[in-house]
């Protein structure tokens, strides 16, 4: 992976930023309406499941106070979710539950997926707890610590010589040959139910966050900034906020400049199937996805986002450092929502275009803790995280 060949100084110097602004559609597409209806119907089921799931306690909402020109900022810290250092375990556990309910998963079955790290670890945890074998396919370039985190949950890990999207194609082939149950978080024609379950599961994060903001601070967000890989996390969060809050907040999605598949589809008026123009080799490994989940996320992002932001590697590196000073341990994907605020703090036009003011109330989500301890420690400049433990 080329990011590993670059020095931290070189990565930090990449302060590219580009963005597109939009207005949510007054009349969303029929595909959006249908998708939102299905997700909204299932959200209470997912929340009820997570409430009784062992170890699934609420994660903290961290009040960072006022940020100059940006208003008040809150961070929902999913790096503390269930001891797994990332939010993805919510999707893995719920997806297996729904497969069992539908009679599509049985004792002795093997579950499989593709991952840049966090989804695979979450599914491996879910499979271990439910008594299934898990085989997780990963890009060969994945750092050792992320692979070890998956293996620590008892899963078999198979490396694929290629990027994330190459890994997706390989696991589809092998799962079909072996009769394994595919539990993927991205979608395509003919594969929608499981990724929609996973998208729905992520609404739990925002159910907690909005309740915490209201009960603890008497506030609702005016802006919600959401990381985008394939888009499932963002779509789940937007679906919940659209359902719960009237009027809804402004949604801003962020992705790496080197893996800007949502940005690129919006820029050219694509249908959600176009690949990004980059190499998917950004420092934000969890967001290095080349094609959106065009059946289960893209329609919502297309119709309801107010802005699409792509950032170079220097921004998340700086955001990791700044969040650490606030007491939040964030990985280089987890911090990207906050990185947007850092970019806007230094760019008046971006701040104005995002409609951020001193009166804004901003919600960002730290989607992962330090899942690459070596890189995190190098960024911070001291040995803060010494293992894959918490």
């Amino acid at each position: 992976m080329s990011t590993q060949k670059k020095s931290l100084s070189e990565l930090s110097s990449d302060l590219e930023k580009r963005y597109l602004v939009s207005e949510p559609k007054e009349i969303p597409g029929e595909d959006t309406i249908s998708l939102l209806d299905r997700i909204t119907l299932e959200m209470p089921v997912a929340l009820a499941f997570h409430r009784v799931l062992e170890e699934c306690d609420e994660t903290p909402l961290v009040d960072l106070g006022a940020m100059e020109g940006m208003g008040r900022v809150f961070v929902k810290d999913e790096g503390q979710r269930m001891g797994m250092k990332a939010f993805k375990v919510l999707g893995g556990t719920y997806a297996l539950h729904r497969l069992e309910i539908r009679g599509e998963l049985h004792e002795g079955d093997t579950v499989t997926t593709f991952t840049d790290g966090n989804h695979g670890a979450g599914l491996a945890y879910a499979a271990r707890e439910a008594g299934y074998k898990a085989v997780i396919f990963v890009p060969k370039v994945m750092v050792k610590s992320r692979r070890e985190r998956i293996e620590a949950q008892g899963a078999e890990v198979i490396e694929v010589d290629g990027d994330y999207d190459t890994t997706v194609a390989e696991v589809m082939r092998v799962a079909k040959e072996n009769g394994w149950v595919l539990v993927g978080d991205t979608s395509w024609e003919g594969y929608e139910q499981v990724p929609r379950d996973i998208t729905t599961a992520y609404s739990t994060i925002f159910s907690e966050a909005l309740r915490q903001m209201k009960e603890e601070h008497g506030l609702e967000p005016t802006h919600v900034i959401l990381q985008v890989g394939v888009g499932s996390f963002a779509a789940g969060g937007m679906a919940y906020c659209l359902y719960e809050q009237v009027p809804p907040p402004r949604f801003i999605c962020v992705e790496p400049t080197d893996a800007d598949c949502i940005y690129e589809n919006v820029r050219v008026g694509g249908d959600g199937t176009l690949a990004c123009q980059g190499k998917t080799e950004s420092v934000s490994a969890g967001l290095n996805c080349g094609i959106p989940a065009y059946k289960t996320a893209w329609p919502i992002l297309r119709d309801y986002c107010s802005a699409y932001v792509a950032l170079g590697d220097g921004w998340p590196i700086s955001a990791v450092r700044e969040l650490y000073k606030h007491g939040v341990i964030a990985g280089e994907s987890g911090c990207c929502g906050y990185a947007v605020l850092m970019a806007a703090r230094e760019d008046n036009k971006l701040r104005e275009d995002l409609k951020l003011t001193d009166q804004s109330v901003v919600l960002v989500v730290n989607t992962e803790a330090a899942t690459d301890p070596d890189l995190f420690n190098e960024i911070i400049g001291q040995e803060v995280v010494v293992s894959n433990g918490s």
Side-chain angles (χ1 to χ4, degrees), residues 215-245:
E215 292 184 2
E216 298 172 14
H217 305 280
L219 295 170
E220 292 181 329
T222 60
H223 296 70
V224 178
I225 308 178
L226 301 144
Q227 293 93 319
V228 175
V230 297
S232 298
F233 163 75
M238 292 170 67
Y240 185 82
C241 294
L242 287 165
Y243 170 78
E244 180 66 22
Q245 187 173 318

PDB file of all heavy atoms in Angstrom, residues 215-245:
ATOM      1  N   GLU A 215     -31.160  15.001  26.274  1.00  0.00           N
ATOM      2  CA  GLU A 215     -31.339  14.820  27.714  1.00  0.00           C
ATOM      3  C   GLU A 215     -30.220  15.455  28.529  1.00  0.00           C
ATOM      4  O   GLU A 215     -30.469  15.991  29.614  1.00  0.00           O
ATOM      5  CB  GLU A 215     -31.432  13.337  28.043  1.00  0.00           C
ATOM      6  CG  GLU A 215     -32.696  12.666  27.518  1.00  0.00           C
ATOM      7  CD  GLU A 215     -32.806  11.208  27.938  1.00  0.00           C
ATOM      8  OE1 GLU A 215     -31.921  10.726  28.672  1.00  0.00           O
ATOM      9  OE2 GLU A 215     -33.797  10.560  27.545  1.00  0.00           O
ATOM     10  N   GLU A 216     -29.002  15.403  28.026  1.00  0.00           N
ATOM     11  CA  GLU A 216     -27.867  15.902  28.794  1.00  0.00           C
ATOM     12  C   GLU A 216     -27.567  17.372  28.535  1.00  0.00           C
ATOM     13  O   GLU A 216     -26.982  18.044  29.395  1.00  0.00           O
ATOM     14  CB  GLU A 216     -26.622  15.067  28.479  1.00  0.00           C
ATOM     15  CG  GLU A 216     -26.761  13.592  28.858  1.00  0.00           C
ATOM     16  CD  GLU A 216     -25.601  12.739  28.365  1.00  0.00           C
ATOM     17  OE1 GLU A 216     -24.559  13.310  27.952  1.00  0.00           O
ATOM     18  OE2 GLU A 216     -25.735  11.501  28.373  1.00  0.00           O
ATOM     19  N   HIS A 217     -27.975  17.882  27.351  1.00  0.00           N
ATOM     20  CA  HIS A 217     -27.593  19.242  26.986  1.00  0.00           C
ATOM     21  C   HIS A 217     -28.761  20.086  26.469  1.00  0.00           C
ATOM     22  O   HIS A 217     -28.578  21.279  26.233  1.00  0.00           O
ATOM     23  CB  HIS A 217     -26.494  19.201  25.920  1.00  0.00           C
ATOM     24  CG  HIS A 217     -25.301  18.405  26.335  1.00  0.00           C
ATOM     25  ND1 HIS A 217     -24.324  18.897  27.166  1.00  0.00           N
ATOM     26  CD2 HIS A 217     -24.935  17.126  26.044  1.00  0.00           C
ATOM     27  CE1 HIS A 217     -23.399  17.975  27.376  1.00  0.00           C
ATOM     28  NE2 HIS A 217     -23.741  16.892  26.700  1.00  0.00           N
ATOM     29  N   GLY A 218     -29.922  19.492  26.286  1.00  0.00           N
ATOM     30  CA  GLY A 218     -31.079  20.234  25.783  1.00  0.00           C
ATOM     31  C   GLY A 218     -30.898  20.739  24.366  1.00  0.00           C
ATOM     32  O   GLY A 218     -31.455  21.774  23.985  1.00  0.00           O
ATOM     33  N   LEU A 219     -30.143  20.008  23.536  1.00  0.00           N
ATOM     34  CA  LEU A 219     -29.806  20.460  22.189  1.00  0.00           C
ATOM     35  C   LEU A 219     -30.126  19.409  21.134  1.00  0.00           C
ATOM     36  O   LEU A 219     -30.187  18.208  21.431  1.00  0.00           O
ATOM     37  CB  LEU A 219     -28.312  20.795  22.099  1.00  0.00           C
ATOM     38  CG  LEU A 219     -27.815  21.971  22.938  1.00  0.00           C
ATOM     39  CD1 LEU A 219     -26.293  22.015  22.932  1.00  0.00           C
ATOM     40  CD2 LEU A 219     -28.395  23.285  22.433  1.00  0.00           C
ATOM     41  N   GLU A 220     -30.329  19.889  19.914  1.00  0.00           N
ATOM     42  CA  GLU A 220     -30.412  19.032  18.734  1.00  0.00           C
ATOM     43  C   GLU A 220     -29.339  19.485  17.752  1.00  0.00           C
ATOM     44  O   GLU A 220     -29.002  20.672  17.703  1.00  0.00           O
ATOM     45  CB  GLU A 220     -31.785  19.150  18.052  1.00  0.00           C
ATOM     46  CG  GLU A 220     -32.932  18.585  18.841  1.00  0.00           C
ATOM     47  CD  GLU A 220     -34.249  18.711  18.086  1.00  0.00           C
ATOM     48  OE1 GLU A 220     -34.395  19.682  17.308  1.00  0.00           O
ATOM     49  OE2 GLU A 220     -35.126  17.840  18.275  1.00  0.00           O
ATOM     50  N   PRO A 221     -28.808  18.561  16.959  1.00  0.00           N
ATOM     51  CA  PRO A 221     -27.769  18.979  16.011  1.00  0.00           C
ATOM     52  C   PRO A 221     -28.340  19.789  14.855  1.00  0.00           C
ATOM     53  O   PRO A 221     -29.416  19.480  14.338  1.00  0.00           O
ATOM     54  CB  PRO A 221     -27.192  17.650  15.516  1.00  0.00           C
ATOM     55  CG  PRO A 221     -28.311  16.668  15.678  1.00  0.00           C
ATOM     56  CD  PRO A 221     -29.055  17.101  16.903  1.00  0.00           C
ATOM     57  N   THR A 222     -27.602  20.813  14.459  1.00  0.00           N
ATOM     58  CA  THR A 222     -27.928  21.526  13.226  1.00  0.00           C
ATOM     59  C   THR A 222     -27.177  20.924  12.044  1.00  0.00           C
ATOM     60  O   THR A 222     -27.601  21.051  10.898  1.00  0.00           O
ATOM     61  CB  THR A 222     -27.546  23.009  13.333  1.00  0.00           C
ATOM     62  OG1 THR A 222     -26.124  23.124  13.572  1.00  0.00           O
ATOM     63  CG2 THR A 222     -28.305  23.676  14.479  1.00  0.00           C
ATOM     64  N   HIS A 223     -26.047  20.273  12.350  1.00  0.00           N
ATOM     65  CA  HIS A 223     -25.197  19.637  11.333  1.00  0.00           C
ATOM     66  C   HIS A 223     -24.746  18.264  11.839  1.00  0.00           C
ATOM     67  O   HIS A 223     -24.386  18.124  13.014  1.00  0.00           O
ATOM     68  CB  HIS A 223     -23.933  20.463  11.061  1.00  0.00           C
ATOM     69  CG  HIS A 223     -24.190  21.813  10.468  1.00  0.00           C
ATOM     70  ND1 HIS A 223     -24.783  22.842  11.174  1.00  0.00           N
ATOM     71  CD2 HIS A 223     -23.905  22.317   9.231  1.00  0.00           C
ATOM     72  CE1 HIS A 223     -24.876  23.912  10.396  1.00  0.00           C
ATOM     73  NE2 HIS A 223     -24.337  23.624   9.217  1.00  0.00           N
ATOM     74  N   VAL A 224     -24.769  17.290  10.950  1.00  0.00           N
ATOM     75  CA  VAL A 224     -24.228  15.970  11.250  1.00  0.00           C
ATOM     76  C   VAL A 224     -23.226  15.641  10.146  1.00  0.00           C
ATOM     77  O   VAL A 224     -23.571  15.653   8.958  1.00  0.00           O
ATOM     78  CB  VAL A 224     -25.317  14.889  11.319  1.00  0.00           C
ATOM     79  CG1 VAL A 224     -24.705  13.514  11.579  1.00  0.00           C
ATOM     80  CG2 VAL A 224     -26.338  15.225  12.403  1.00  0.00           C
ATOM     81  N   ILE A 225     -21.982  15.363  10.537  1.00  0.00           N
ATOM     82  CA  ILE A 225     -20.927  15.072   9.568  1.00  0.00           C
ATOM     83  C   ILE A 225     -20.635  13.577   9.620  1.00  0.00           C
ATOM     84  O   ILE A 225     -20.390  13.017  10.692  1.00  0.00           O
ATOM     85  CB  ILE A 225     -19.654  15.888   9.847  1.00  0.00           C
ATOM     86  CG1 ILE A 225     -19.997  17.382   9.965  1.00  0.00           C
ATOM     87  CG2 ILE A 225     -18.631  15.667   8.735  1.00  0.00           C
ATOM     88  CD1 ILE A 225     -18.804  18.261  10.289  1.00  0.00           C
ATOM     89  N   LEU A 226     -20.645  12.935   8.459  1.00  0.00           N
ATOM     90  CA  LEU A 226     -20.626  11.477   8.386  1.00  0.00           C
ATOM     91  C   LEU A 226     -19.539  10.981   7.444  1.00  0.00           C
ATOM     92  O   LEU A 226     -19.456  11.391   6.285  1.00  0.00           O
ATOM     93  CB  LEU A 226     -21.990  10.975   7.884  1.00  0.00           C
ATOM     94  CG  LEU A 226     -23.187  11.377   8.756  1.00  0.00           C
ATOM     95  CD1 LEU A 226     -24.405  11.650   7.883  1.00  0.00           C
ATOM     96  CD2 LEU A 226     -23.477  10.315   9.774  1.00  0.00           C
ATOM     97  N   GLN A 227     -18.714  10.059   7.939  1.00  0.00           N
ATOM     98  CA  GLN A 227     -17.720   9.420   7.093  1.00  0.00           C
ATOM     99  C   GLN A 227     -18.403   8.516   6.073  1.00  0.00           C
ATOM    100  O   GLN A 227     -19.440   7.906   6.348  1.00  0.00           O
ATOM    101  CB  GLN A 227     -16.763   8.566   7.925  1.00  0.00           C
ATOM    102  CG  GLN A 227     -15.871   9.346   8.864  1.00  0.00           C
ATOM    103  CD  GLN A 227     -16.454   9.483  10.250  1.00  0.00           C
ATOM    104  OE1 GLN A 227     -17.645   9.711  10.421  1.00  0.00           O
ATOM    105  NE2 GLN A 227     -15.605   9.355  11.259  1.00  0.00           N
ATOM    106  N   VAL A 228     -17.771   8.419   4.905  1.00  0.00           N
ATOM    107  CA  VAL A 228     -18.299   7.562   3.846  1.00  0.00           C
ATOM    108  C   VAL A 228     -17.197   6.642   3.333  1.00  0.00           C
ATOM    109  O   VAL A 228     -16.141   7.101   2.896  1.00  0.00           O
ATOM    110  CB  VAL A 228     -18.856   8.398   2.667  1.00  0.00           C
ATOM    111  CG1 VAL A 228     -19.281   7.477   1.534  1.00  0.00           C
ATOM    112  CG2 VAL A 228     -20.033   9.248   3.119  1.00  0.00           C
ATOM    113  N   GLY A 229     -17.447   5.344   3.420  1.00  0.00           N
ATOM    114  CA  GLY A 229     -16.653   4.352   2.706  1.00  0.00           C
ATOM    115  C   GLY A 229     -17.509   3.918   1.520  1.00  0.00           C
ATOM    116  O   GLY A 229     -17.459   4.497   0.447  1.00  0.00           O
ATOM    117  N   VAL A 230     -18.354   2.894   1.756  1.00  0.00           N
ATOM    118  CA  VAL A 230     -19.379   2.559   0.760  1.00  0.00           C
ATOM    119  C   VAL A 230     -20.662   3.332   1.021  1.00  0.00           C
ATOM    120  O   VAL A 230     -21.536   3.410   0.162  1.00  0.00           O
ATOM    121  CB  VAL A 230     -19.675   1.045   0.724  1.00  0.00           C
ATOM    122  CG1 VAL A 230     -18.447   0.262   0.308  1.00  0.00           C
ATOM    123  CG2 VAL A 230     -20.233   0.541   2.059  1.00  0.00           C
ATOM    124  N   GLY A 231     -20.809   3.888   2.245  1.00  0.00           N
ATOM    125  CA  GLY A 231     -21.950   4.743   2.551  1.00  0.00           C
ATOM    126  C   GLY A 231     -22.965   4.176   3.526  1.00  0.00           C
ATOM    127  O   GLY A 231     -23.921   4.862   3.891  1.00  0.00           O
ATOM    128  N   SER A 232     -22.772   2.942   4.001  1.00  0.00           N
ATOM    129  CA  SER A 232     -23.774   2.313   4.865  1.00  0.00           C
ATOM    130  C   SER A 232     -23.917   3.035   6.194  1.00  0.00           C
ATOM    131  O   SER A 232     -25.040   3.249   6.679  1.00  0.00           O
ATOM    132  CB  SER A 232     -23.397   0.849   5.111  1.00  0.00           C
ATOM    133  OG  SER A 232     -23.374   0.127   3.909  1.00  0.00           O
ATOM    134  N   PHE A 233     -22.803   3.396   6.813  1.00  0.00           N
ATOM    135  CA  PHE A 233     -22.843   4.127   8.082  1.00  0.00           C
ATOM    136  C   PHE A 233     -23.586   5.451   7.919  1.00  0.00           C
ATOM    137  O   PHE A 233     -24.484   5.786   8.707  1.00  0.00           O
ATOM    138  CB  PHE A 233     -21.421   4.360   8.584  1.00  0.00           C
ATOM    139  CG  PHE A 233     -21.300   5.430   9.629  1.00  0.00           C
ATOM    140  CD1 PHE A 233     -21.711   5.192  10.922  1.00  0.00           C
ATOM    141  CD2 PHE A 233     -20.754   6.661   9.308  1.00  0.00           C
ATOM    142  CE1 PHE A 233     -21.604   6.183  11.893  1.00  0.00           C
ATOM    143  CE2 PHE A 233     -20.633   7.653  10.272  1.00  0.00           C
ATOM    144  CZ  PHE A 233     -21.060   7.414  11.567  1.00  0.00           C
ATOM    145  N   ALA A 234     -23.228   6.198   6.890  1.00  0.00           N
ATOM    146  CA  ALA A 234     -23.857   7.495   6.667  1.00  0.00           C
ATOM    147  C   ALA A 234     -25.347   7.355   6.400  1.00  0.00           C
ATOM    148  O   ALA A 234     -26.158   8.116   6.940  1.00  0.00           O
ATOM    149  CB  ALA A 234     -23.176   8.216   5.501  1.00  0.00           C
ATOM    150  N   ALA A 235     -25.727   6.389   5.593  1.00  0.00           N
ATOM    151  CA  ALA A 235     -27.138   6.203   5.263  1.00  0.00           C
ATOM    152  C   ALA A 235     -27.950   5.821   6.493  1.00  0.00           C
ATOM    153  O   ALA A 235     -29.074   6.308   6.681  1.00  0.00           O
ATOM    154  CB  ALA A 235     -27.290   5.134   4.178  1.00  0.00           C
ATOM    155  N   GLY A 236     -27.389   4.963   7.348  1.00  0.00           N
ATOM    156  CA  GLY A 236     -28.092   4.591   8.567  1.00  0.00           C
ATOM    157  C   GLY A 236     -28.291   5.776   9.491  1.00  0.00           C
ATOM    158  O   GLY A 236     -29.362   5.961  10.081  1.00  0.00           O
ATOM    159  N   GLY A 237     -27.257   6.606   9.625  1.00  0.00           N
ATOM    160  CA  GLY A 237     -27.371   7.787  10.459  1.00  0.00           C
ATOM    161  C   GLY A 237     -28.349   8.802   9.912  1.00  0.00           C
ATOM    162  O   GLY A 237     -29.152   9.391  10.652  1.00  0.00           O
ATOM    163  N   MET A 238     -28.309   9.011   8.613  1.00  0.00           N
ATOM    164  CA  MET A 238     -29.234   9.965   8.002  1.00  0.00           C
ATOM    165  C   MET A 238     -30.674   9.492   8.118  1.00  0.00           C
ATOM    166  O   MET A 238     -31.582  10.283   8.393  1.00  0.00           O
ATOM    167  CB  MET A 238     -28.831  10.180   6.545  1.00  0.00           C
ATOM    168  CG  MET A 238     -27.505  10.904   6.388  1.00  0.00           C
ATOM    169  SD  MET A 238     -26.872  10.904   4.686  1.00  0.00           S
ATOM    170  CE  MET A 238     -28.095  11.941   3.888  1.00  0.00           C
ATOM    171  N   ALA A 239     -30.889   8.200   7.915  1.00  0.00           N
ATOM    172  CA  ALA A 239     -32.246   7.659   8.009  1.00  0.00           C
ATOM    173  C   ALA A 239     -32.833   7.913   9.391  1.00  0.00           C
ATOM    174  O   ALA A 239     -33.993   8.329   9.525  1.00  0.00           O
ATOM    175  CB  ALA A 239     -32.241   6.163   7.694  1.00  0.00           C
ATOM    176  N   TYR A 240     -32.029   7.699  10.432  1.00  0.00           N
ATOM    177  CA  TYR A 240     -32.554   7.914  11.776  1.00  0.00           C
ATOM    178  C   TYR A 240     -32.841   9.394  12.018  1.00  0.00           C
ATOM    179  O   TYR A 240     -33.895   9.755  12.559  1.00  0.00           O
ATOM    180  CB  TYR A 240     -31.593   7.400  12.850  1.00  0.00           C
ATOM    181  CG  TYR A 240     -32.216   7.533  14.221  1.00  0.00           C
ATOM    182  CD1 TYR A 240     -33.107   6.571  14.672  1.00  0.00           C
ATOM    183  CD2 TYR A 240     -31.985   8.658  15.009  1.00  0.00           C
ATOM    184  CE1 TYR A 240     -33.737   6.715  15.903  1.00  0.00           C
ATOM    185  CE2 TYR A 240     -32.618   8.810  16.227  1.00  0.00           C
ATOM    186  CZ  TYR A 240     -33.493   7.835  16.667  1.00  0.00           C
ATOM    187  OH  TYR A 240     -34.138   7.989  17.874  1.00  0.00           O
ATOM    188  N   CYS A 241     -31.919  10.273  11.643  1.00  0.00           N
ATOM    189  CA  CYS A 241     -32.119  11.704  11.867  1.00  0.00           C
ATOM    190  C   CYS A 241     -33.303  12.241  11.085  1.00  0.00           C
ATOM    191  O   CYS A 241     -34.052  13.101  11.581  1.00  0.00           O
ATOM    192  CB  CYS A 241     -30.851  12.466  11.509  1.00  0.00           C
ATOM    193  SG  CYS A 241     -29.437  12.131  12.580  1.00  0.00           S
ATOM    194  N   LEU A 242     -33.498  11.760   9.873  1.00  0.00           N
ATOM    195  CA  LEU A 242     -34.653  12.183   9.067  1.00  0.00           C
ATOM    196  C   LEU A 242     -35.952  11.764   9.720  1.00  0.00           C
ATOM    197  O   LEU A 242     -36.970  12.478   9.649  1.00  0.00           O
ATOM    198  CB  LEU A 242     -34.558  11.584   7.658  1.00  0.00           C
ATOM    199  CG  LEU A 242     -33.506  12.197   6.745  1.00  0.00           C
ATOM    200  CD1 LEU A 242     -33.250  11.289   5.543  1.00  0.00           C
ATOM    201  CD2 LEU A 242     -33.948  13.590   6.271  1.00  0.00           C
ATOM    202  N   TYR A 243     -35.938  10.620  10.361  1.00  0.00           N
ATOM    203  CA  TYR A 243     -37.132  10.104  11.046  1.00  0.00           C
ATOM    204  C   TYR A 243     -37.395  10.840  12.352  1.00  0.00           C
ATOM    205  O   TYR A 243     -38.537  11.150  12.700  1.00  0.00           O
ATOM    206  CB  TYR A 243     -36.940   8.613  11.318  1.00  0.00           C
ATOM    207  CG  TYR A 243     -37.969   8.001  12.229  1.00  0.00           C
ATOM    208  CD1 TYR A 243     -39.246   7.671  11.769  1.00  0.00           C
ATOM    209  CD2 TYR A 243     -37.666   7.741  13.569  1.00  0.00           C
ATOM    210  CE1 TYR A 243     -40.194   7.113  12.612  1.00  0.00           C
ATOM    211  CE2 TYR A 243     -38.600   7.176  14.418  1.00  0.00           C
ATOM    212  CZ  TYR A 243     -39.858   6.866  13.939  1.00  0.00           C
ATOM    213  OH  TYR A 243     -40.791   6.306  14.780  1.00  0.00           O
ATOM    214  N   GLU A 244     -36.343  11.157  13.083  1.00  0.00           N
ATOM    215  CA  GLU A 244     -36.474  11.627  14.467  1.00  0.00           C
ATOM    216  C   GLU A 244     -36.570  13.138  14.596  1.00  0.00           C
ATOM    217  O   GLU A 244     -37.244  13.649  15.493  1.00  0.00           O
ATOM    218  CB  GLU A 244     -35.277  11.126  15.282  1.00  0.00           C
ATOM    219  CG  GLU A 244     -35.282  11.530  16.743  1.00  0.00           C
ATOM    220  CD  GLU A 244     -36.420  10.916  17.546  1.00  0.00           C
ATOM    221  OE1 GLU A 244     -36.956   9.873  17.101  1.00  0.00           O
ATOM    222  OE2 GLU A 244     -36.769  11.468  18.602  1.00  0.00           O
ATOM    223  N   GLN A 245     -35.906  13.882  13.719  1.00  0.00           N
ATOM    224  CA  GLN A 245     -35.751  15.316  13.930  1.00  0.00           C
ATOM    225  C   GLN A 245     -36.407  16.105  12.803  1.00  0.00           C
ATOM    226  O   GLN A 245     -36.102  15.906  11.627  1.00  0.00           O
ATOM    227  CB  GLN A 245     -34.263  15.677  14.026  1.00  0.00           C
ATOM    228  CG  GLN A 245     -34.003  17.120  14.414  1.00  0.00           C
ATOM    229  CD  GLN A 245     -32.530  17.377  14.658  1.00  0.00           C
ATOM    230  OE1 GLN A 245     -31.837  16.571  15.275  1.00  0.00           O
ATOM    231  NE2 GLN A 245     -32.040  18.510  14.182  1.00  0.00           N
TER     232      GLN A 245
END
